[in-house]
């Protein structure tokens, strides 16, 4: 099978505004997902005071979102193959509305947990489907930019959650403040649910349903020229197992081609060497995204800053807002570097910086822990190290995890392959968020960040040896990238342009 899209598509590098608008709308659901994560970091301070919950209950409340997101992510792949990418995003929005309503009502810990669980399933859907949809409507030259938009929106949501903590916690009563913090997420969810219905369906999903006429119309909208649209459609048809010269409006595909039958067998039980490598890469990058400690910093940053010597809820929440701002600034920078520097180089720079940041954070917090009074230099170093770690994470590992795992799988395996990655992601997120307090009590808070630094070293080695470069490659070219025809650094050898046509 010969794929030529990557070579020809790059001839049209003009940014497509309609594809950008579609990716923005799809990514809006990630704002709500991020808000649910960010708002809980501060809301827990008020919930503990109001409901009198223990540290263990706090850990469960923080981590249950991710355990339920695990369920959501595992069902989202099959769901999106049945009802489409667009309606899966709509379903995620409805779940957010229901969950936010329950948490906003929150008369007791049990109802709060139920609402958190419902939101968690929505998070699982959103994390899987937004990057997949963005990847499937993007051209190869802008895919890194558009597919990282959901991660940027998660960052915006987290920052809005931090700001909500500060403003509502300061100006509203204890009982009303945290409930409004959690319940207000229903409003943007309504907006997302409405906007999502104005979007076109993924052209690649339409081809898998045999709806070639509709797929071509969408590709004409998200491509810059008719020639580009026709080339993309041709390569998608080949990837779907259709005759590239078929011009029928609708065709009947074998039942298993569009209902996901046999997908799990091809992914896990009997994968080809290239698919096995893809699965290892996707699972590995999702594992290390959270095993390197980002959830501990984002969710428990008020506790970290309190340990460092910052006192008072207002100061703690302001310092946490700084973490959210840092995240967004460096995510924006990453948007413009992904398609220029490439995935591998950014990952290596990002993980290297994270190792330094985590080591310094562990050192400074250890000094603070062992000293009797406040050590000014250690306090300053812990704040700088926290911000540096968040910056390096979000310029590489944060956005690339979602870009990479949503672009590498073949068409018929993409949704469920991505869902496996998200399931691993949510599992590790839950493990870190539900055990961090217990870990730092056992090995000290400084020791816990030394541990994360050690894991980051393993992550750097994994990325170096197992992740080939995918920058500028068409989705239909990925199986060729993930073959043994690679250099010692696992960077796919560039073929001669004549060979690619």
């Amino acid at each position: 099978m010969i794929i030529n899209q990557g070579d020809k598509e790059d001839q049209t590098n003009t940014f497509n505004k309609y594809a950008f608008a579609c990716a923005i709308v799809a990514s809006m659901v990630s704002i709500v997902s991020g808000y649910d994560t960010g708002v809980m970091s501060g809301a827990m301070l008020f919930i503990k005071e109001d409901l009198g919950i223990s540290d263990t209950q706090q850990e469960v409340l923080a981590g249950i979102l991710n355990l339920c997101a695990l369920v959501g992510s595992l069902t989202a792949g099959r769901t999106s193959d049945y009802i489409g990418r667009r309606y899966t995003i709509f379903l995620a929005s409805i779940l957010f509305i229901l969950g936010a309503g329950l948490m906003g009502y929150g008369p007791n810990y049990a109802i709060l947990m139920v609402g958190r669980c419902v939101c968690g399933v929505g998070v699982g859907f959103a994390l899987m489907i937004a990057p997949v949809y963005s990847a499937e409507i993007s051209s190869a030259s802008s895919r890194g930019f558009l597919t990282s938009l959901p991660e940027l929106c998660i960052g915006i949501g987290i920052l809005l959650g931090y700001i909500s903590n500060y403003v509502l916690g300061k100006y509203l009563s204890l009982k009303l403040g945290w409930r409004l913090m959690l319940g207000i997420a229903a409003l943007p969810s309504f907006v997302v649910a409405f906007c999502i219905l104005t979007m076109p369906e993924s052209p690649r999903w339409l081809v898998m349903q045999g709806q070639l006429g509709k797929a071509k119309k969408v590709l004409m909208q998200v491509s810059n020229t008719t020639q580009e649209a026709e080339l993309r459609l041709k390569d998608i048809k080949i990837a779907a197992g259709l005759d590239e010269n078929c011009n029928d409006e609708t065709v009947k595909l074998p039942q298993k081609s569009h209902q996901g039958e046999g997908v799990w067998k091809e992914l896990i039980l009997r994968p080809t060497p290239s698919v096995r490598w893809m699965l290892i890469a996707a699972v590995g990058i999702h594992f290390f995204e959270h095993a390197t400690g980002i959830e501990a910093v984002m969710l428990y940053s008020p506790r970290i800053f309190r340990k460092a010597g910052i006192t008072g809820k207002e100061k703690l929440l302001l310092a946490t807002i700084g973490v959210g701002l840092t995240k967004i600034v460096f995510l924006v920078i990453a948007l413009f570097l992904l398609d220029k520097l490439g995935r591998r180089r950014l990952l290596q720079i990002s993980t290297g910086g994270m190792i330094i940041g985590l080591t310094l954070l562990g050192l400074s917090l250890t000094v603070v822990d062992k000293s009797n009074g406040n050590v000014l230099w250690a306090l300053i170093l812990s704040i700088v190290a926290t911000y540096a770690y968040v910056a390096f994470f979000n310029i590489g590992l944060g956005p690339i995890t979602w870009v990479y795992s949503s672009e590498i799988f073949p068409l018929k395996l993409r949704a469920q392959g991505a869902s496996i990655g998200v399931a691993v992601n949510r599992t590790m997120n839950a493990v870190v968020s539900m055990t961090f307090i217990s870990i730092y009590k056992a090995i000290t808070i400084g020791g816990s960040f030394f541990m994360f630094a050690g894991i980051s070293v393993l992550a750097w080695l994994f990325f170096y040896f197992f992740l080939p470069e995918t920058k500028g490659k068409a989705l239909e070219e990925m199986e060729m990238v993930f073959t043994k025809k690679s250099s010692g650094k696992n960077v796919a050898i560039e073929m001669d342009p004549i060979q690619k046509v």
Side-chain angles (χ1 to χ4, degrees):
M1 179 170 66
I2 299 170
I3 300 295
N4 56 19
Q5 181 180 328
D7 188 53
K8 301 267 184 87
E9 201 172 313
D10 285 341
Q11 295 174 7
T12 312
N13 285 320
T14 309
F15 199 74
N16 185 277
K17 294 179 181 178
Y18 187 74
F20 177 67
C22 290
I24 285 286
V25 174
S27 301
M28 284 171 60
V29 74
S30 298
I31 293 179
V32 186
S33 173
Y35 181 86
D36 279 334
T37 298
V39 76
M40 190 54 74
S41 67
M44 280 195 295
L45 298 174
F46 302 100
I47 293 169
K48 182 177 183 179
E49 185 178 341
D50 187 21
L51 301 182
I53 62 176
S54 65
D55 278 350
T56 301
Q57 287 176 309
Q58 285 187 77
E59 285 183 322
V60 173
L61 182 61
I64 198 69
L65 179 96
N66 296 301
L67 289 179
C68 295
L70 170 63
V71 176
S73 63
L74 287 173
T75 56
R78 192 67 179 267
T79 302
S80 70
D81 281 342
Y82 271 104
I83 67 174
R85 315 313 196 207
R86 185 174 62 149
Y87 285 112
T88 304
I89 298 173
F90 178 80
L91 181 57
S93 302
I94 298 300
L95 290 168
F96 283 134
I97 293 169
L98 294 174
L102 286 170
M103 289 193 293
Y105 170 56
N108 52 50
Y109 183 72
I111 298 295
L112 194 59
M113 285 287 289
V114 172
R116 187 82 167 151
C117 284
V118 174
C119 279
V121 177
V123 167
F125 273 76
L127 289 175
M128 192 288 294
I129 197 60
V132 168
Y133 178 87
S134 299
E136 291 189 342
I137 64 165
S138 308
S139 64
S141 59
S142 62
R143 191 175 60 248
F145 181 93
L146 296 184
T147 311
S148 58
L149 286 175
E151 181 68 12
L152 174 62
C153 287
I154 289 173
I156 293 171
I158 289 173
L159 177 61
L160 291 175
Y162 291 160
I163 293 172
S164 172
N165 289 154
Y166 178 75
V167 174
L168 298 180
K170 185 176 182 179
Y171 295 107
L172 295 180
S173 67
L174 175 64
K175 289 187 178 297
L176 179 61
W178 68 263
R179 289 179 171 86
L180 191 56
M181 290 174 197
L182 300 177
I184 202 171
L187 295 179
S189 301
F190 273 112
V191 176
V192 173
F194 173 77
C195 291
I196 227 74
L197 298 178
T198 66
M199 291 165 43
E201 184 51 84
S202 158
R204 287 172 168 89
W205 183 81
L206 289 170
V207 170
M208 290 299 289
Q209 306 308 302
Q211 300 178 34
L212 303 186
K214 291 182 180 179
K216 185 174 182 179
K217 288 178 183 177
V218 175
L219 284 169
M220 291 292 287
Q221 292 175 301
V222 299
S223 301
N224 291 314
T225 65
T226 302
Q227 182 188 24
E228 181 190 347
E230 289 175 348
L231 282 168
R232 291 174 70 177
L233 179 60
K234 178 181 175 181
D235 289 337
I236 294 169
K237 285 191 288 187
I238 294 173
L242 296 172
D243 182 355
E244 63 181 86
N245 297 314
C246 176
N247 293 315
D248 297 339
E249 288 288 310
T250 59
V251 295
K252 187 171 178 62
L253 279 77
Q255 194 76 1
K256 66 178 182 179
S257 293
H258 58 87
Q259 289 194 350
E261 295 176 17
V263 167
W264 293 112
K265 182 186 292 184
E266 292 184 50
L267 266 175
I268 299 174
L269 299 179
R270 296 177 183 173
T272 63
S274 59
V275 169
R276 185 183 298 112
W277 187 359
M278 292 172 186
L279 189 62
I280 291 170
V283 168
I285 196 170
H286 276 288
F287 172 86
F288 283 117
E289 184 189 26
H290 286 289
T292 50
I294 188 62
E295 192 67 10
V297 172
M298 299 306 295
L299 193 57
Y300 293 108
S301 49
R303 280 179 177 257
I304 295 168
F305 290 132
R306 183 185 291 151
K307 272 285 186 182
I310 298 176
T311 56
K313 283 182 184 175
E314 190 171 322
K315 290 180 180 178
L316 286 170
L317 294 176
L318 280 173
T320 304
I321 288 173
V323 172
L325 283 171
T326 303
K327 179 179 179 70
I328 288 178
V329 168
F330 282 87
L331 278 171
V332 171
I333 295 172
L335 286 179
F336 297 97
L337 294 179
L338 272 166
D339 291 315
K340 292 182 179 178
L341 293 183
R343 287 45 156 169
R344 273 177 58 85
R345 187 180 300 177
L346 266 185
L347 271 176
Q348 290 164 4
I349 294 170
S350 168
T351 315
M354 287 164 58
I355 293 168
I356 296 171
L358 287 166
T359 302
L360 293 176
L361 183 57
L363 175 64
S364 59
L365 290 174
T366 299
V367 170
V368 170
D369 221 18
K370 292 186 178 298
S371 63
N372 295 324
N374 285 338
V375 182
L376 183 60
W377 70 265
L379 168 62
I380 294 172
L381 180 60
S382 65
I383 296 172
V384 171
T386 300
Y387 288 175
Y389 166 73
V390 172
F392 276 109
F393 176 88
N394 286 288
I395 205 170
L397 182 55
I400 291 173
T401 295
W402 301 98
V403 173
Y404 203 84
S405 62
S406 62
E407 70 184 0
I408 60 177
F409 290 103
L411 178 57
K412 64 180 177 179
L413 306 180
R414 185 170 301 130
Q416 295 188 51
S419 75
I420 292 174
V422 176
V424 172
N425 188 285
R426 293 300 92 187
T427 300
M428 290 309 302
N429 192 311
V431 168
V432 173
S433 60
M434 295 177 77
T435 61
F436 178 67
I437 295 175
S438 301
I439 290 172
Y440 87 62
K441 284 181 177 179
I443 63 173
T444 75
I445 192 165
S448 64
F449 286 105
F450 283 132
M451 177 189 74
F452 288 134
I455 295 171
S456 297
V457 172
L458 298 178
W460 193 96
L461 293 171
F462 177 85
F463 301 150
Y464 183 84
F465 288 108
F466 288 97
L467 270 61
E469 183 59 75
T470 58
K471 181 189 77 169
K473 302 291 183 182
L475 294 180
E476 287 69 40
E477 288 184 286
M478 291 303 170
E479 284 189 82
M480 182 174 64
V481 172
F482 281 82
T483 63
K484 293 186 182 295
K485 293 181 179 180
S486 60
S487 70
K489 295 182 180 180
N490 279 343
V491 183
I493 293 176
E494 290 289 338
M495 296 177 65
D496 183 66
I498 297 175
Q499 291 178 285
K500 291 176 72 177
V501 177

